[in-house]
mmCIF file of all heavy atoms in Angstrom:
data_model
loop_
_atom_site.group_PDB
_atom_site.id
_atom_site.type_symbol
_atom_site.label_atom_id
_atom_site.label_comp_id
_atom_site.label_asym_id
_atom_site.label_seq_id
_atom_site.Cartn_x
_atom_site.Cartn_y
_atom_site.Cartn_z
ATOM 1 N N GLY Z 1 -11.195 -12.631 5.909
ATOM 2 C CA GLY Z 1 -12.244 -11.926 5.208
ATOM 3 C C GLY Z 1 -12.290 -10.429 5.551
ATOM 4 O O GLY Z 1 -13.319 -9.812 5.237
ATOM 5 N N CYS Z 2 -11.300 -9.879 6.164
ATOM 6 C CA CYS Z 2 -11.359 -8.501 6.601
ATOM 7 C C CYS Z 2 -11.572 -7.532 5.482
ATOM 8 O O CYS Z 2 -10.730 -7.535 4.516
ATOM 9 C CB CYS Z 2 -10.034 -8.147 7.341
ATOM 10 S SG CYS Z 2 -9.957 -6.436 7.839
ATOM 11 N N PRO Z 3 -12.691 -6.795 5.490
ATOM 12 C CA PRO Z 3 -12.995 -5.918 4.346
ATOM 13 C C PRO Z 3 -11.999 -4.692 4.297
ATOM 14 O O PRO Z 3 -11.944 -4.042 3.257
ATOM 15 C CB PRO Z 3 -14.413 -5.464 4.582
ATOM 16 C CG PRO Z 3 -14.609 -5.625 6.076
ATOM 17 C CD PRO Z 3 -13.703 -6.753 6.516
ATOM 18 N N ALA Z 4 -11.286 -4.394 5.339
ATOM 19 C CA ALA Z 4 -10.395 -3.265 5.357
ATOM 20 C C ALA Z 4 -9.016 -3.510 4.728
ATOM 21 O O ALA Z 4 -8.370 -2.535 4.476
ATOM 22 C CB ALA Z 4 -10.220 -2.756 6.840
ATOM 23 N N VAL Z 5 -8.746 -4.757 4.418
ATOM 24 C CA VAL Z 5 -7.328 -5.056 3.964
ATOM 25 C C VAL Z 5 -7.025 -4.355 2.664
ATOM 26 O O VAL Z 5 -5.867 -3.911 2.487
ATOM 27 C CB VAL Z 5 -7.138 -6.584 3.946
ATOM 28 C CG1 VAL Z 5 -7.820 -7.198 2.795
ATOM 29 C CG2 VAL Z 5 -5.611 -6.845 3.955
ATOM 30 N N ASP Z 6 -8.005 -4.282 1.760
ATOM 31 C CA ASP Z 6 -7.659 -3.623 0.442
ATOM 32 C C ASP Z 6 -7.405 -2.176 0.638
ATOM 33 O O ASP Z 6 -6.559 -1.582 0.011
ATOM 34 C CB ASP Z 6 -8.793 -3.858 -0.564
ATOM 35 C CG ASP Z 6 -8.884 -5.316 -1.004
ATOM 36 O OD1 ASP Z 6 -7.820 -5.999 -1.028
ATOM 37 O OD2 ASP Z 6 -9.965 -5.789 -1.417
ATOM 38 N N VAL Z 7 -8.201 -1.506 1.514
ATOM 39 C CA VAL Z 7 -7.939 -0.088 1.856
ATOM 40 C C VAL Z 7 -6.606 0.132 2.501
ATOM 41 O O VAL Z 7 -5.855 1.008 2.217
ATOM 42 C CB VAL Z 7 -9.078 0.473 2.752
ATOM 43 C CG1 VAL Z 7 -8.818 1.899 3.154
ATOM 44 C CG2 VAL Z 7 -10.366 0.338 1.979
ATOM 45 N N MET Z 8 -6.216 -0.802 3.474
ATOM 46 C CA MET Z 8 -4.927 -0.742 4.046
ATOM 47 C C MET Z 8 -3.767 -0.841 3.056
ATOM 48 O O MET Z 8 -2.856 -0.016 3.083
ATOM 49 C CB MET Z 8 -4.740 -1.903 5.077
ATOM 50 C CG MET Z 8 -5.451 -1.735 6.358
ATOM 51 S SD MET Z 8 -5.031 -3.076 7.438
ATOM 52 C CE MET Z 8 -6.503 -3.082 8.506
ATOM 53 N N LYS Z 9 -3.887 -1.776 2.168
ATOM 54 C CA LYS Z 9 -2.913 -1.919 1.097
ATOM 55 C C LYS Z 9 -2.784 -0.637 0.276
ATOM 56 O O LYS Z 9 -1.664 -0.119 -0.004
ATOM 57 C CB LYS Z 9 -3.271 -3.101 0.188
ATOM 58 C CG LYS Z 9 -3.019 -4.485 0.752
ATOM 59 C CD LYS Z 9 -3.428 -5.515 -0.211
ATOM 60 C CE LYS Z 9 -3.088 -6.904 0.325
ATOM 61 N NZ LYS Z 9 -3.457 -7.964 -0.744
ATOM 62 N N GLU Z 10 -3.889 -0.096 -0.145
ATOM 63 C CA GLU Z 10 -3.914 1.137 -0.957
ATOM 64 C C GLU Z 10 -3.267 2.279 -0.174
ATOM 65 O O GLU Z 10 -2.456 3.096 -0.718
ATOM 66 C CB GLU Z 10 -5.388 1.475 -1.314
ATOM 67 C CG GLU Z 10 -5.456 2.669 -2.273
ATOM 68 C CD GLU Z 10 -6.915 2.841 -2.703
ATOM 69 O OE1 GLU Z 10 -7.629 1.897 -2.967
ATOM 70 O OE2 GLU Z 10 -7.263 4.083 -2.677
ATOM 71 N N ASP Z 11 -3.667 2.403 1.148
ATOM 72 C CA ASP Z 11 -3.108 3.538 1.981
ATOM 73 C C ASP Z 11 -1.592 3.338 2.128
ATOM 74 O O ASP Z 11 -0.854 4.376 2.172
ATOM 75 C CB ASP Z 11 -3.841 3.516 3.296
ATOM 76 C CG ASP Z 11 -5.262 4.049 3.229
ATOM 77 O OD1 ASP Z 11 -5.677 4.514 2.175
ATOM 78 O OD2 ASP Z 11 -5.950 3.876 4.244
ATOM 79 N N ILE Z 12 -1.140 2.144 2.215
ATOM 80 C CA ILE Z 12 0.314 1.890 2.363
ATOM 81 C C ILE Z 12 1.014 2.364 1.101
ATOM 82 O O ILE Z 12 2.017 3.096 1.170
ATOM 83 C CB ILE Z 12 0.618 0.402 2.688
ATOM 84 C CG1 ILE Z 12 0.154 0.056 4.049
ATOM 85 C CG2 ILE Z 12 2.094 0.063 2.450
ATOM 86 C CD1 ILE Z 12 0.149 -1.496 4.336
ATOM 87 N N LEU Z 13 0.517 1.975 -0.038
ATOM 88 C CA LEU Z 13 1.139 2.294 -1.314
ATOM 89 C C LEU Z 13 1.050 3.858 -1.552
ATOM 90 O O LEU Z 13 2.098 4.447 -1.976
ATOM 91 C CB LEU Z 13 0.441 1.572 -2.462
ATOM 92 C CG LEU Z 13 0.726 0.071 -2.509
ATOM 93 C CD1 LEU Z 13 -0.170 -0.586 -3.582
ATOM 94 C CD2 LEU Z 13 2.173 -0.177 -2.742
ATOM 95 N N ILE Z 14 0.027 4.462 -1.188
ATOM 96 C CA ILE Z 14 -0.084 5.944 -1.297
ATOM 97 C C ILE Z 14 0.940 6.613 -0.430
ATOM 98 O O ILE Z 14 1.706 7.501 -0.852
ATOM 99 C CB ILE Z 14 -1.483 6.393 -0.964
ATOM 100 C CG1 ILE Z 14 -2.482 5.995 -2.113
ATOM 101 C CG2 ILE Z 14 -1.537 7.938 -0.776
ATOM 102 C CD1 ILE Z 14 -3.948 6.244 -1.815
ATOM 103 N N ALA Z 15 1.095 6.207 0.825
ATOM 104 C CA ALA Z 15 2.078 6.722 1.763
ATOM 105 C C ALA Z 15 3.464 6.595 1.221
ATOM 106 O O ALA Z 15 4.285 7.505 1.293
ATOM 107 C CB ALA Z 15 1.934 6.157 3.160
ATOM 108 N N LEU Z 16 3.781 5.422 0.699
ATOM 109 C CA LEU Z 16 5.109 5.182 0.159
ATOM 110 C C LEU Z 16 5.360 6.004 -1.076
ATOM 111 O O LEU Z 16 6.461 6.579 -1.203
ATOM 112 C CB LEU Z 16 5.250 3.670 -0.134
ATOM 113 C CG LEU Z 16 5.306 2.738 1.053
ATOM 114 C CD1 LEU Z 16 5.268 1.277 0.632
ATOM 115 C CD2 LEU Z 16 6.528 3.021 1.889
ATOM 116 N N GLN Z 17 4.412 6.091 -1.969
ATOM 117 C CA GLN Z 17 4.573 6.839 -3.244
ATOM 118 C C GLN Z 17 4.794 8.303 -2.914
ATOM 119 O O GLN Z 17 5.643 8.992 -3.534
ATOM 120 C CB GLN Z 17 3.403 6.656 -4.125
ATOM 121 C CG GLN Z 17 3.370 5.238 -4.780
ATOM 122 C CD GLN Z 17 2.147 5.000 -5.519
ATOM 123 O OE1 GLN Z 17 1.166 5.747 -5.580
ATOM 124 N NE2 GLN Z 17 2.041 3.771 -6.139
ATOM 125 N N LYS Z 18 4.025 8.837 -1.929
ATOM 126 C CA LYS Z 18 4.152 10.301 -1.594
ATOM 127 C C LYS Z 18 5.516 10.556 -0.987
ATOM 128 O O LYS Z 18 6.027 11.725 -1.106
ATOM 129 C CB LYS Z 18 3.128 10.664 -0.546
ATOM 130 C CG LYS Z 18 1.747 10.864 -1.110
ATOM 131 C CD LYS Z 18 0.804 11.314 -0.024
ATOM 132 C CE LYS Z 18 -0.592 11.599 -0.581
ATOM 133 N NZ LYS Z 18 -1.549 11.982 0.456
ATOM 134 N N SER Z 19 6.207 9.572 -0.496
ATOM 135 C CA SER Z 19 7.543 9.743 0.073
ATOM 136 C C SER Z 19 8.619 9.286 -0.899
ATOM 137 O O SER Z 19 9.808 9.149 -0.507
ATOM 138 C CB SER Z 19 7.709 8.996 1.425
ATOM 139 O OG SER Z 19 6.824 9.587 2.327
ATOM 140 N N GLY Z 20 8.277 9.037 -2.155
ATOM 141 C CA GLY Z 20 9.294 8.734 -3.168
ATOM 142 C C GLY Z 20 9.529 7.205 -3.373
ATOM 143 O O GLY Z 20 10.365 6.901 -4.225
ATOM 144 N N TYR Z 21 8.829 6.335 -2.706
ATOM 145 C CA TYR Z 21 8.984 4.914 -2.898
ATOM 146 C C TYR Z 21 7.962 4.435 -3.867
ATOM 147 O O TYR Z 21 6.913 3.910 -3.538
ATOM 148 C CB TYR Z 21 8.796 4.163 -1.560
ATOM 149 C CG TYR Z 21 9.893 4.559 -0.474
ATOM 150 C CD1 TYR Z 21 9.551 5.475 0.478
ATOM 151 C CD2 TYR Z 21 11.153 3.956 -0.515
ATOM 152 C CE1 TYR Z 21 10.498 5.845 1.439
ATOM 153 C CE2 TYR Z 21 12.038 4.339 0.474
ATOM 154 C CZ TYR Z 21 11.747 5.320 1.412
ATOM 155 O OH TYR Z 21 12.647 5.621 2.353
ATOM 156 N N VAL Z 22 8.302 4.654 -5.178
ATOM 157 C CA VAL Z 22 7.352 4.394 -6.228
ATOM 158 C C VAL Z 22 7.250 2.954 -6.689
ATOM 159 O O VAL Z 22 6.252 2.466 -7.260
ATOM 160 C CB VAL Z 22 7.582 5.301 -7.477
ATOM 161 C CG1 VAL Z 22 7.324 6.769 -7.122
ATOM 162 C CG2 VAL Z 22 9.012 5.101 -7.959
ATOM 163 N N ASN Z 23 8.304 2.183 -6.379
ATOM 164 C CA ASN Z 23 8.347 0.771 -6.793
ATOM 165 C C ASN Z 23 8.162 -0.073 -5.472
ATOM 166 O O ASN Z 23 9.070 -0.566 -4.885
ATOM 167 C CB ASN Z 23 9.787 0.468 -7.367
ATOM 168 C CG ASN Z 23 9.717 -0.921 -8.070
ATOM 169 O OD1 ASN Z 23 8.674 -1.528 -8.278
ATOM 170 N ND2 ASN Z 23 10.879 -1.430 -8.367
ATOM 171 N N SER Z 24 6.865 -0.186 -5.085
ATOM 172 C CA SER Z 24 6.493 -0.864 -3.859
ATOM 173 C C SER Z 24 5.351 -1.793 -4.126
ATOM 174 O O SER Z 24 4.537 -1.649 -4.998
ATOM 175 C CB SER Z 24 6.080 0.126 -2.759
ATOM 176 O OG SER Z 24 7.046 1.064 -2.600
ATOM 177 N N ARG Z 25 5.260 -2.811 -3.307
ATOM 178 C CA ARG Z 25 4.083 -3.710 -3.337
ATOM 179 C C ARG Z 25 3.782 -4.217 -1.892
ATOM 180 O O ARG Z 25 4.665 -4.197 -1.036
ATOM 181 C CB ARG Z 25 4.277 -4.888 -4.273
ATOM 182 C CG ARG Z 25 5.330 -5.843 -3.983
ATOM 183 C CD ARG Z 25 5.464 -6.878 -5.140
ATOM 184 N NE ARG Z 25 6.621 -7.695 -4.961
ATOM 185 C CZ ARG Z 25 6.618 -8.918 -4.407
ATOM 186 N NH1 ARG Z 25 5.469 -9.459 -4.046
ATOM 187 N NH2 ARG Z 25 7.735 -9.547 -4.205
ATOM 188 N N VAL Z 26 2.527 -4.606 -1.748
ATOM 189 C CA VAL Z 26 2.088 -5.024 -0.408
ATOM 190 C C VAL Z 26 1.595 -6.431 -0.577
ATOM 191 O O VAL Z 26 0.778 -6.765 -1.518
ATOM 192 C CB VAL Z 26 0.946 -4.145 0.137
ATOM 193 C CG1 VAL Z 26 0.489 -4.618 1.489
ATOM 194 C CG2 VAL Z 26 1.409 -2.650 0.204
ATOM 195 N N GLU Z 27 2.081 -7.322 0.297
ATOM 196 C CA GLU Z 27 1.666 -8.723 0.304
ATOM 197 C C GLU Z 27 0.942 -9.061 1.561
ATOM 198 O O GLU Z 27 1.403 -8.659 2.617
ATOM 199 C CB GLU Z 27 2.967 -9.518 0.161
ATOM 200 C CG GLU Z 27 2.854 -11.019 0.150
ATOM 201 C CD GLU Z 27 4.228 -11.702 0.054
ATOM 202 O OE1 GLU Z 27 4.642 -11.911 -1.046
ATOM 203 O OE2 GLU Z 27 4.788 -11.968 1.150
ATOM 204 N N SER Z 28 -0.182 -9.823 1.409
ATOM 205 C CA SER Z 28 -0.893 -10.331 2.632
ATOM 206 C C SER Z 28 -0.375 -11.674 2.964
ATOM 207 O O SER Z 28 -0.206 -12.512 2.123
ATOM 208 C CB SER Z 28 -2.357 -10.398 2.370
ATOM 209 O OG SER Z 28 -2.905 -9.112 2.299
#
């Protein structure tokens, strides 16, 4: 039930997109 997991996923995707990894997904 960690409330931070959605923010972590979003932050991961943003970091990847900024570095050119536009086709990414995060799985818990």
Side-chain angles (χ1 to χ4, degrees):
C2 178
V5 74
D6 289 334
V7 175
M8 284 182 204
K9 286 180 176 182
E10 184 177 320
D11 289 349
I12 290 167
L13 291 173
I14 289 169
L16 292 172
Q17 288 171 357
K18 284 183 178 179
S19 294
Y21 299 97
V22 293
N23 192 14
S24 305
R25 66 186 170 98
V26 181
E27 179 180 272
S28 289

